Amino acid sequence: MGTQLRLRSAKVLIINLGSVGMEIVKNLVLGGINSIDIVDDSVIKEEDYAAQFFLPNDDKFIGELKLPNIIEPIKELNNRVNINIHTDNFNQLLADKDFFKKFDLIIGTELVKQEIIELNELTRTFNIPLYVTGLHGIFGYIITDLIQHVSTVERNTINQAKTIGEELSLNKVVENYQVDKPNNKEILTIKDTYSPISSIFTSDNLPKQLSKRQLRKLSSSLPIILSLLESDRSELTTEEINLKAIQMCSNLGISPDILSKEYLQEFTNQQFTEFVPTSAILGGCLAQDVIQFLSKRESPINNTLILDGLRSEMPIYSL
Amino acid sequence: MAKDTYLKKVLGEERFNHIKASKVLMVGAGGIGCELIKNLMLTGFGEIHIVDLDTITLSNLNRQFLFRQKDINKSKAMILVKAVEKFNYFDCKLIPHHGNIMNTELFPISWWSSFDYIYNALDNVEARTYVNSIALFLKKPLMESGTTGFQGQVLPIYPYQSECFDCIPKDTPTTYPVCTIRSTPSKPVHCITWAKEFLFMQLFDEVQILSPEKLAEQRKILESETTDKKEIDNLMNETNELNDLRKLTSSTIEEFMDNLVNKIFVKDIEKLIRIDSLWKYRKQPVPLDYATYNSELSSMVKSTSSDVLHNETKVWSILENLYVLYQASKSLIDRIQSGEKFISFDKDDDDTLNFVVSASNLRSSIFGIDVMSKFDIKQIAGNIIPAIATTNAIISGFSDLQSLNYFKSYELSNQDANTVFVSMKPNRFVARATLASPNPQCASCSLSSRGIMSLSSLDGTLQELIDNIKEFYKYEDISLILGKNKLIYDFDFEDNVDRSLNSLGFKSGETLLVQDDNDELENLELYIIIGEEFKLPELTLRAKKVFKEETDAEDDEPIEEGVVDDIIEVEPPIKKQKV
């Protein structure tokens, strides 16, 4: 199947339509996907207006179900894409396993760890690729479990030659490599193997992929973001965040010394807040990765991307 | 919680209030602009002005999410502002401007100076350079951004504190020698360039009437490339003949087509063949045997069912190319005859693209060069790496994010912003670098000072102005360049000193470059405005910087330490042209 055709036939499910969810939907609808189903049972809240650009600009909608009130502007973006909305409660929906079976790809936004793990068990059972994402102000994450994936990229020969079997990172292996000398092209086939998301919270892979210096300079945002997933989204104090993050550092086999006061303060202020430039970046990256994944072109994110808006960094770790 | 609760938490109450009270400018309402306006509005900016000179085209719709089918041909800036009202939750004051950002009458310096921050969301170097120069004149912070395909970059610019847009050398676009394009093409791109830049322009686009000076200039360029006088004469004649052909755009399509094909694919080729010197080492072209296709072409034209035009990935036959050339020419001359004064090439304007594709393919086949599909030629003719919506989204996010530090203190110095590049690797999605200091050899920010000169009238003489400038800045001897490259005065060119400023072209929005002919002080660039009184900007000019030229030691005398003669100053790249 050609790239366009694969994209045009893909059925995607998105769970929760907040700020980053709206950015993803916008990008995928513009990209021309076959259909998007959206699950969200929330009502429009005042604070949603800070970063959710599809909301109707009228206070009388506050307190009403969100999805029925934003579907029109989404459909307007591209009338060839089918949009279906479901205002069911996601946790209840999890019991109806067959509901998830029909999708080619699932994207969960702003979920808590328990929901992610249950969803991931389902996607593994049905062999469906899963992306999860969320943000805290200027910080954010994308975690992927695409199970297994082979992608082929053709590009101008720029880099040094690769060898078959070479590890590009802990979970990316060169499966095939050809050079087309006359046209100055190289064709690189990469096989990605993914870990179940439940295992990343206790992964001992970090010390294996980072040098000592890199480990010392690791941003606090990785352990803090992972530990915030374990909370139930109710507001935590700086001390609570600190304790959880220290625990996460020990789970990941890294030194808690990396936790800085500045980051703990920023996360205390920004935990679970939405901020549109962060959503734009995350939503852009995630949609781009989904499109690349569906077209089997570039090797996708594997498996934990952290957006650190303080340092302007977006490292990807293989956990 | 209130609507702005999250913004206060993320930005801090004080910075949020600063942002609310700020007035910012976004230049460009295209791919990045559509995304960026949403970000800026939902970051809480109080007033945003949007400038774009373009109208919406069909190809914009699949990546510029604020535009719809019904908006085609309407002003981007105007429609953008209408569209975003739907999510103007924080009552941002939105002011659209449909116009060229470089127009100094629409956008005088006083207008520019009212903004706290400038965001570029542009797609061309010329406008970027211009906005950069304004940022330098006014010492305004500027966020530069751009994308190509899956790559993109944001660069925060704090004038004189960090690298400016001109500090970084740009790749100049590839150009081909005129002779290769016009006489001896050997690659598809040569024929495409010929069809687009020469044939199409001469026939349909806005052309300046060629003055004798212009013609002489053209001949000079040709003479610098070849000594073959026959070839030069031939090329000069061709241009004249195309001017005649242009008049045919008011005749019938049959007449136009026959004349066009007979001239450019038959007679011109025959003339080229007669210049023996060209074909000593090259394969001779073979003129098109137009007569053999004539009857088939006319029956193809009569049957309305042909779908050649819609098959963009197929490589067309000669007959099919002739058919496409016929149909494209028909549409184009129809448009000219129904009132369009001229038509410019646009890869998204199918009539213009079809014309260029078929004409370039026919020329290729004549010269034995590979013929290509419309799809492939579009890539080359449009010189495009496709713009990707998601890259624009990512870059617009960083453009907003990287600017936010400025609103803590409004200080240009000591900004801990980063330049960010999108370039995906297995272990990172973006790369970032701290801002570099200005390039010490940058002609725009390191080798000159800038300021605004207010003139009370344009009736004074140049001599009076020269005296004033010399006295005010303690220059001994100066030369003056008005605008881009018009030399109006230097020590051995004093013809203009008694003329009025008005007659020399001084006007509001023009720039005047002052250079020290004694090479002691740095250059001074003055932005001219007409004001109540005569006033020069208060500036302390730095000493002119000198750089040692890197020399090939071979031919030069050995360099002795401390020998001043070996020091050569680097002049800004300004062409002098006397008037």
Side-chain angles (χ1 to χ4, degrees):
Chain A
M1 245 196 290
T3 303
Q4 280 301 312
L5 210 55
R6 272 196 288 256
L7 198 61
R8 293 236 166 95
S9 61
K11 297 178 165 57
V12 174
L13 172 69
I14 297 189
I15 299 146
N16 292 337
L17 206 63
S19 176
V20 65
M22 286 188 190
E23 292 282 349
I24 295 166
V25 166
K26 176 201 75 200
N27 295 337
L28 290 181
V29 172
L30 285 180
I33 220 146
N34 177 287
S35 73
I36 297 185
D37 284 56
I38 308 167
V39 173
D40 189 322
D41 67 345
S42 70
V43 296
I44 297 173
K45 297 183 290 293
E46 285 215 70
E47 63 267 29
D48 290 346
Y49 282 92
Q52 302 184 12
F53 58 90
F54 281 132
L55 296 179
N57 193 5
D58 188 337
D59 288 355
K60 75 172 187 218
F61 290 96
I62 293 168
E64 284 196 33
L65 270 178
K66 189 197 282 177
L67 283 190
N69 286 305
I70 60 167
I71 183 159
E72 279 315 312
I74 296 175
K75 280 184 169 167
E76 257 183 41
L77 290 176
N78 183 348
N79 52 21
R80 280 173 303 208
V81 179
N82 301 306
I83 316 280
N84 306 302
I85 54 171
H86 309 270
T87 53
D88 310 66
N89 177 277
F90 170 63
N91 282 296
Q92 285 166 12
L93 210 54
L94 275 174
D96 176 12
K97 294 192 168 48
D98 284 345
F99 173 79
F100 296 89
K101 234 159 89 178
K102 56 179 179 276
F103 297 105
D104 299 309
L105 191 136
I106 297 177
I107 301 166
T109 77
E110 304 295 358
L111 298 172
V112 299
K113 185 179 168 190
Q114 195 47 43
E115 294 169 326
I116 294 171
I117 288 172
E118 278 182 50
L119 179 62
N120 191 204
E121 276 169 12
L122 256 170
T123 57
R124 284 239 153 200
T125 311
F126 298 130
N127 202 28
I128 301 170
L130 171 68
Y131 284 82
V132 294
T133 182
L135 67 149
H136 305 278
I138 61 170
F139 306 95
Y141 62 91
I142 298 172
I143 300 173
T144 56
D145 178 12
L146 313 180
I147 304 168
Q148 201 172 74
H149 183 67
V150 176
S151 53
T152 302
V153 55
E154 188 189 310
R155 61 186 179 198
N156 292 333
T157 315
I158 27 164
N159 303 309
Q160 62 195 82
K162 302 273 187 292
T163 47
I164 293 172
E166 186 182 335
E167 279 191 359
L168 299 177
S169 71
L170 280 182
N171 39 29
K172 287 185 197 290
V173 179
V174 176
E175 202 169 65
N176 203 356
Y177 180 71
Q178 288 173 322
V179 180
D180 175 3
K181 269 254 167 69
N183 292 315
N184 202 29
K185 298 261 182 210
E186 58 178 18
I187 301 157
L188 180 64
T189 305
I190 299 170
K191 183 173 164 184
D192 274 277
T193 312
Y194 288 80
S195 317
I197 295 178
S198 60
S199 72
I200 69 164
F201 295 89
T202 52
S203 164
D204 56 1
N205 277 349
L206 267 184
K208 291 182 201 157
Q209 59 196 286
L210 300 178
S211 67
K212 282 206 170 113
R213 186 170 173 273
Q214 285 171 321
L215 280 171
R216 258 201 326 273
K217 297 209 147 202
L218 192 68
S219 157
S220 316
S221 47
L222 173 70
I224 297 180
I225 283 174
L226 290 182
S227 58
L228 284 176
L229 280 169
E230 294 186 330
S231 100
D232 59 358
R233 297 181 72 86
S234 59
E235 213 160 295
L236 302 177
T237 64
T238 311
E239 195 40 40
E240 284 168 331
I241 296 175
N242 190 25
L243 285 175
K244 279 176 172 288
I246 290 171
Q247 180 61 44
M248 187 56 67
C249 286
S250 113
N251 293 352
L252 298 173
I254 53 175
S255 162
D257 295 346
I258 62 157
L259 295 172
S260 82
K261 273 212 173 93
E262 185 189 15
Y263 273 80
L264 287 166
Q265 190 53 53
E266 293 289 352
F267 272 97
T268 309
N269 296 338
Q270 303 190 29
Q271 55 183 311
F272 307 109
T273 61
E274 297 190 316
F275 189 46
V276 83
T278 313
S279 302
I281 297 168
L282 285 176
C285 292
L286 195 148
Q288 185 163 308
D289 211 59
V290 165
I291 293 168
Q292 300 277 27
F293 170 81
L294 292 172
S295 50
K296 300 186 194 255
R297 292 285 276 280
E298 294 282 336
S299 169
I301 297 168
N302 189 355
N303 55 15
T304 305
L305 174 148
I306 298 292
L307 167 56
D308 182 334
L310 265 190
R311 291 194 188 177
S312 320
E313 284 178 349
M314 290 179 85
I316 300 168
Y317 304 106
S318 317
L319 300 179
Chain B
M1 279 190 254
K3 285 185 184 172
D4 55 11
T5 306
Y6 286 164
L7 291 177
K8 285 179 183 161
K9 283 186 176 184
V10 173
L11 296 164
E13 196 115 6
E14 190 188 351
R15 176 160 48 161
F16 175 65
N17 288 332
H18 283 168
I19 286 174
K20 255 178 96 169
S22 291
K23 175 175 168 183
V24 300
L25 168 65
M26 183 176 93
V27 191
I32 296 177
C34 274
E35 293 286 335
L36 183 57
I37 186 72
K38 168 198 70 184
N39 299 348
L40 295 178
M41 285 169 70
L42 294 183
T43 300
F45 282 99
E47 181 170 345
I48 307 173
H49 288 233
I50 300 102
V51 178
D52 201 307
L53 56 76
D54 271 339
T55 52
I56 296 157
T57 61
L58 182 64
S59 72
N60 295 148
L61 302 188
N62 68 350
R63 59 176 185 276
Q64 300 177 12
F65 80 105
L66 297 170
F67 303 144
R68 304 281 174 272
Q69 189 85 32
K70 63 176 184 342
D71 302 325
I72 287 175
N73 292 330
K74 293 182 187 155
S75 154
K76 280 190 173 177
M78 304 290 174
I79 294 294
L80 178 113
V81 163
K82 247 187 178 164
V84 299
E85 274 304 334
K86 280 185 287 194
F87 52 83
N88 191 2
Y89 310 134
F90 298 107
D91 295 321
C92 173
K93 189 173 169 194
L94 294 156
I95 315 276
H97 302 271
H98 181 81
N100 187 335
I101 194 65
M102 295 185 281
N103 182 330
T104 54
E105 279 161 32
L106 276 176
F107 308 113
I109 202 84
S110 53
W111 175 83
W112 284 96
S113 63
S114 67
F115 297 105
D116 295 297
Y117 205 105
I118 304 166
Y119 294 88
N120 267 355
L122 283 161
D123 62 357
N124 70 85
V125 171
E126 200 189 0
R128 283 187 167 111
T129 307
Y130 180 80
V131 178
N132 182 62
S133 76
I134 297 286
L136 291 172
F137 272 119
L138 296 173
K139 298 191 176 64
K140 293 273 178 207
L142 166 66
M143 181 63 68
E144 181 52 69
S145 61
T147 69
T148 32
F150 289 110
Q151 302 194 324
Q153 188 193 356
V154 299
L155 174 69
I157 295 170
Y158 297 100
Y160 306 106
Q161 306 292 327
S162 73
E163 250 178 2
C164 83
F165 183 70
D166 289 343
C167 284
I168 304 150
K170 309 286 172 303
D171 295 339
T172 42
T174 330
T175 55
Y176 301 97
V178 180
C179 295
T180 307
I181 298 302
R182 301 272 302 272
S183 308
T184 53
S186 58
K187 288 182 183 152
V189 65
H190 299 150
C191 295
I192 297 165
T193 309
W194 170 85
K196 179 184 143 194
E197 314 269 337
F198 174 65
L199 182 65
F200 186 88
M201 286 248 293
Q202 291 289 332
L203 288 173
F204 304 109
D205 206 350
E206 188 176 27
V207 282
Q208 295 158 311
I209 313 267
L210 288 182
S211 58
E213 294 88 47
K214 270 269 179 205
L215 284 170
E217 201 177 298
Q218 278 194 355
R219 184 174 271 273
K220 254 196 193 143
I221 295 175
L222 289 170
E223 279 166 357
S224 71
E225 284 179 11
T226 175
T227 50
D228 194 330
K229 194 172 170 297
K230 262 168 93 183
E231 189 188 356
I232 296 175
D233 288 341
N234 183 49
L235 289 175
M236 295 302 290
N237 271 335
E238 262 185 24
T239 316
N240 285 337
E241 288 164 17
L242 272 179
N243 281 338
D244 292 340
L245 212 52
R246 189 180 173 96
K247 293 176 194 137
L248 279 177
T249 52
S250 55
S251 56
T252 64
I253 173 63
E254 277 72 24
E255 210 178 322
F256 177 85
M257 181 76 179
D258 285 347
N259 276 292
L260 179 74
V261 174
N262 273 317
K263 173 172 163 45
I264 59 173
F265 297 129
V266 184
K267 283 188 204 140
D268 284 354
I269 304 296
E270 286 168 355
K271 274 190 216 155
L272 269 181
I273 294 173
R274 286 200 288 272
I275 307 173
D276 300 330
S277 53
L278 293 178
W279 316 112
K280 251 185 221 157
Y281 307 105
R282 293 188 190 91
K283 212 179 123 221
Q284 270 194 16
V286 182
L288 181 75
D289 193 354
Y290 187 40
T292 59
Y293 297 101
N294 236 330
S295 64
E296 270 184 285
L297 179 63
S298 48
S299 64
M300 207 171 161
V301 166
K302 273 178 206 130
S303 83
T304 46
S305 61
S306 178
D307 59 358
V308 178
L309 284 168
H310 301 293
N311 201 336
E312 301 203 349
T313 49
K314 187 186 166 222
V315 175
W316 295 329
S317 68
I318 291 183
L319 178 65
E320 284 168 333
N321 274 304
L322 279 168
Y323 171 77
V324 174
L325 183 69
Y326 177 96
Q327 295 295 2
S329 302
K330 186 165 183 280
S331 307
L332 290 166
I333 65 174
D334 272 355
R335 283 164 61 176
I336 296 275
Q337 287 171 12
S338 57
E340 271 185 69
K341 288 212 174 64
F342 57 88
I343 300 167
S344 302
F345 175 81
D346 175 355
K347 66 181 192 310
D348 299 315
D349 178 337
D350 233 24
D351 296 336
T352 69
L353 181 62
N354 282 334
F355 184 92
V356 165
V357 170
S358 52
S360 101
N361 272 338
L362 289 166
R363 184 170 171 88
S364 286
S365 68
I366 285 166
F367 282 89
I369 299 166
D370 285 346
V371 173
M372 296 171 83
S373 73
K374 178 175 169 182
F375 182 84
D376 288 334
I377 290 180
K378 184 176 180 179
Q379 310 296 314
I380 297 171
N383 208 358
I384 36 162
I385 299 165
I388 310 249
T390 47
T391 316
N392 287 339
I394 297 166
I395 282 303
S396 76
F398 278 113
S399 174
D400 184 3
L401 218 48
Q402 291 302 316
S403 71
L404 296 177
N405 267 334
Y406 177 73
F407 296 93
K408 278 182 178 164
S409 62
Y410 294 100
E411 294 271 340
L412 282 180
S413 55
N414 198 23
Q415 286 294 327
D416 52 351
N418 291 300
T419 179
V420 179
F421 309 83
V422 178
S423 105
M424 197 193 168
K425 295 269 153 38
N427 64 351
R428 58 168 167 77
F429 214 101
V430 301
R432 60 104 203 220
T434 48
L435 297 185
S437 302
N439 178 348
Q441 301 196 26
C442 174
S444 298
C445 70
S446 289
L447 300 180
S448 56
S449 272
R450 287 172 188 245
I452 291 155
M453 169 173 72
S454 162
L455 297 174
S456 54
S457 109
L458 294 173
D459 298 334
T461 62
L462 184 60
Q463 187 63 57
E464 288 165 25
L465 181 65
I466 292 167
D467 293 343
N468 276 322
I469 290 175
K470 284 210 277 203
E471 196 198 313
F472 196 81
Y473 296 108
K474 310 285 179 250
Y475 278 117
E476 292 256 326
D477 232 326
I478 56 174
S479 60
L480 296 177
I481 295 165
L482 188 64
K484 279 196 182 111
N485 54 14
K486 203 160 123 186
L487 179 72
I488 53 171
Y489 172 77
D490 71 16
F491 69 96
D492 65 357
F493 178 55
E494 300 191 331
D495 311 21
N496 294 326
V497 291
D498 294 326
R499 291 175 63 181
S500 72
L501 300 180
N502 196 23
S503 71
L504 285 165
F506 280 70
K507 60 178 185 202
S508 190
E510 193 60 278
T511 54
L512 180 71
L513 179 71
V514 184
Q515 288 178 310
D516 185 355
D517 271 358
N518 285 351
D519 294 334
E520 279 165 10
L521 294 174
E522 67 179 339
N523 292 341
L524 170 64
E525 205 173 339
L526 297 167
Y527 187 105
I528 301 162
I529 59 167
I530 311 297
E532 300 262 288
E533 48 172 0
F534 175 75
K535 203 169 171 232
L536 286 165
E538 302 275 348
L539 293 165
T540 312
L541 298 183
R542 301 166 287 192
K544 186 160 209 153
K545 280 186 209 162
V546 284
F547 297 96
K548 225 175 223 180
E549 196 184 45
E550 287 179 34
T551 47
D552 278 339
E554 295 269 22
D555 300 328
D556 290 329
E557 302 256 337
I559 297 167
E560 286 176 50
E561 271 185 324
V563 176
V564 194
D565 289 356
D566 286 311
I567 296 173
I568 294 167
E569 71 273 22
V570 177
E571 290 280 343
I574 287 168
K575 285 184 208 141
K576 290 185 180 182
Q577 191 186 334
K578 289 189 180 180
V579 289

